[in-house]
């Protein structure tokens, strides 16, 4: 066991490293979005693949923001990002894909969508204790108003 003071310093150090990493991810994502926007402007053309890539950047920023705000990372966000990334992959490379690869990627998207449904069902059917407490607290506030 760590001394309480050492444990406190360790937690604080990990928090700062985690925050620095998230800031690096956010700045890199913003820069990548900026580069993609410049590329679209220079090409004077916007494709569906470009829009999906921009959507991926926004999803990553949303995920970073959510993690900063709550300190938690919902498993669904990376799954959403994976689905959009695979859809973009299909759209960009459909001409070079053989049927088996297309079926594999499509099946992967369906499996991830099913995983999201299972996670959502589990979250609604078996909510976390903190979620129930937050729900009760919000009901109490509404009844006071």
């Amino acid at each position: 066991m760590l001394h309480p003071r050492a444990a406190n310093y360790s937690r604080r150090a990990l928090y700062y490293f985690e925050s620095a990493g998230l800031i690096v991810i956010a700045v890199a994502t913003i820069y990548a979005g900026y580069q993609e926007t410049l590329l679209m402007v220079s090409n004077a053309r916007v494709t569906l693949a470009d829009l999906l890539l921009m959507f991926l950047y926004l999803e990553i920023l949303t995920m970073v923001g959510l993690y900063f705000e709550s300190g938690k990372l919902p498993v669904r966000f990376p799954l959403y990002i994976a689905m959009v990334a695979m859809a973009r992959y299909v759209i960009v490379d459909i001409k070079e894909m053989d049927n088996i690869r297309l079926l594999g990627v499509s099946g992967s998207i369906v499996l991830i969508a099913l995983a999201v449904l299972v996670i959502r069902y589990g979250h609604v059917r078996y909510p976390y204790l903190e979620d129930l407490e937050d729900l009760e607290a919000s009901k109490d506030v509404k009844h006071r108003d």
Side-chain angles (χ1 to χ4, degrees):
M1 291 266 308
L2 283 176
H3 188 273
R5 184 176 283 170
N8 187 29
Y9 286 135
S10 298
R11 274 194 297 278
R12 190 174 295 161
L14 285 174
Y15 171 78
Y16 288 130
F17 281 120
E18 188 177 78
S19 296
L22 288 171
I23 289 169
V24 167
I25 290 169
V27 169
T29 304
I30 291 168
Y31 185 70
Y34 171 74
Q35 286 180 315
E36 184 65 24
T37 302
L38 288 180
L39 186 64
M40 288 186 290
V41 169
S42 71
N43 290 341
R45 196 177 116 188
V46 178
T47 65
L48 181 59
D50 296 330
L51 294 175
L52 287 173
L53 189 58
M54 296 297 283
F55 183 72
L56 283 170
Y57 294 147
L58 287 175
E59 284 292 319
I60 291 169
L61 287 174
T62 301
M63 190 171 60
V64 168
L66 216 106
Y67 194 78
F68 262 126
E69 192 174 292
S70 69
K72 299 176 189 173
L73 180 63
V75 174
R76 289 175 298 150
F77 272 85
L79 294 177
Y80 294 146
I81 291 170
M83 282 191 294
V84 173
M86 285 192 280
R88 183 182 182 280
Y89 172 65
V90 168
I91 290 167
V92 170
D93 292 338
I94 190 123
K95 292 178 183 167
E96 289 86 34
M97 273 190 198
D98 58 356
N99 292 340
I100 298 298
R101 181 170 295 208
L102 182 60
L103 283 173
V105 174
S106 301
S108 298
I109 293 171
V110 170
L111 284 174
I112 292 174
L114 289 172
V116 169
L117 285 173
V118 167
I119 290 168
R120 284 295 301 147
Y121 175 78
H123 187 74
V124 170
R125 183 82 168 102
Y126 307 104
Y128 294 116
L129 219 45
E130 308 92 55
D131 293 342
L132 290 175
E133 291 168 359
D134 291 344
L135 185 63
E136 289 298 320
S138 68
K139 284 181 183 177
D140 290 342
V141 170
K142 286 181 184 177
H143 289 297
R144 287 185 211 155
D145 293 341

